[in-house]
Amino acid sequence: MLRIVDHLVGRGPLRICAHVPEADGPGDLTGLRVLLTGDVLARVVELRGRAVLTGRTGPRVPGAGAIGIHPADAQGTPEEIADALGGPPALQLSGRAYEGGGGAFVQIAQARASGSADLEGDALAVRLLLLDRPYHEPVAVTAEDVEGAERLLGQWRRAVAGWAEEPSKPLVAELERTARAGLENSLDTAAVLRLLGGLAADADVPAGAKFETFARLDRVLGLELTREIGKAPAAGAWA
């Protein structure tokens, strides 16, 4: 298991390099998943107050920007990246076995979309689906999965927009601590999504607290859960 906290000790920026494999056919999402894991990891570390520099080797990945992955600070060979980032990466991420030297190595399992899966809708639905599986376990994305993820994103965004209209309250501290611990120890984004699902359905938590908690954790998830704020909601959208 990846333990991010082990790499938070020290001064200066944390350097991360994502090694994108060649796509194994049009439905191969492994390269996208490698970049996504690096993106979320960087967000977690930055939330702790440490700067992150990222590098990327391998081919261009279509759709990376559409699912909210931040561009790398450097691209090229491992040597060129180390030179551009001012030092060798402390973390190497790859969808294949990586034999390069330096730092800790994290292998990302394969991800693939079925031939019928429509990836042209809300691109962040694909991000949600990949975050809903442990990065070290293979995942297959189906058309039904994408449709379900789009519905859930719509429900959460409308709910967040509704909660934003209610009196402000402090975020749910215990839930946020649990989520942060899972992210920092094993990048457990799937557990964070489950926590948010439970929070959304909890009638005992004030709407303002739900809003603050969703908004805070979305800084890591990157699902744009606040994008519907200010738009006219449908009746009963967040009931």
Side-chain angles (χ1 to χ4, degrees), residues 3-238:
R3 290 188 58 83
I4 299 172
V5 290
D6 293 343
H7 300 281
L8 289 173
V9 178
R11 298 180 179 179
L14 176 66
R15 299 175 180 86
I16 301 171
C17 188
H19 302 278
V20 177
E22 293 287 345
D24 182 19
D28 189 359
L29 302 176
T30 307
L32 194 66
R33 196 181 197 190
V34 170
L35 293 178
L36 174 60
T37 305
D39 181 72
V40 173
L41 194 155
R43 290 167 182 255
V44 172
V45 174
E46 288 170 342
L47 208 57
R48 286 284 299 267
R50 187 175 183 187
V52 177
L53 295 175
T54 60
R56 195 200 79 187
T57 70
R60 176 180 173 273
V61 179
I67 72 166
I69 295 173
H70 296 152
D73 296 302
Q75 300 180 41
T77 67
E79 294 76 18
E80 290 170 337
I81 289 171
D83 183 61
L85 299 184
L91 286 172
Q92 314 274 358
L93 295 88
S94 177
R96 306 263 197 281
Y98 178 68
E99 298 179 354
F105 169 62
V106 179
Q107 184 159 351
I108 312 303
Q110 185 183 55
R112 180 171 292 278
S114 69
S116 62
D118 180 9
L119 305 182
E120 299 302 318
D122 187 340
L124 291 177
V126 176
R127 184 179 179 107
L128 172 61
L129 289 172
L130 295 179
L131 293 178
D132 197 33
R133 310 289 197 281
Y135 68 87
H136 49 81
E137 295 180 7
V139 60
V141 174
T142 68
E144 292 76 15
D145 292 333
V146 175
E147 291 172 2
E150 288 180 335
R151 285 195 299 272
L152 180 59
L153 281 177
Q155 291 167 4
W156 278 1
R157 287 168 180 162
R158 290 190 295 271
V160 168
W163 299 331
E165 299 295 325
E166 300 297 325
S168 179
K169 298 287 184 182
L171 56 73
V172 183
E174 183 177 354
L175 186 150
E176 196 260 354
R177 282 194 297 269
T178 300
R180 288 279 296 273
L183 290 168
E184 293 174 1
N185 289 333
S186 58
L187 212 64
D188 196 351
T189 52
V192 176
L193 292 171
R194 291 193 298 272
L195 287 169
L196 290 180
L199 177 62
D202 192 339
D204 294 329
V205 178
K210 291 182 180 182
F211 169 77
E212 295 294 344
T213 307
F214 266 70
R216 173 73 169 178
L217 292 176
D218 194 42
R219 292 174 60 183
V220 169
L221 298 176
L223 296 172
E224 298 184 7
L225 297 179
T226 61
R227 68 155 61 164
E228 297 297 320
I229 292 175
K231 298 181 180 179
W238 49 81

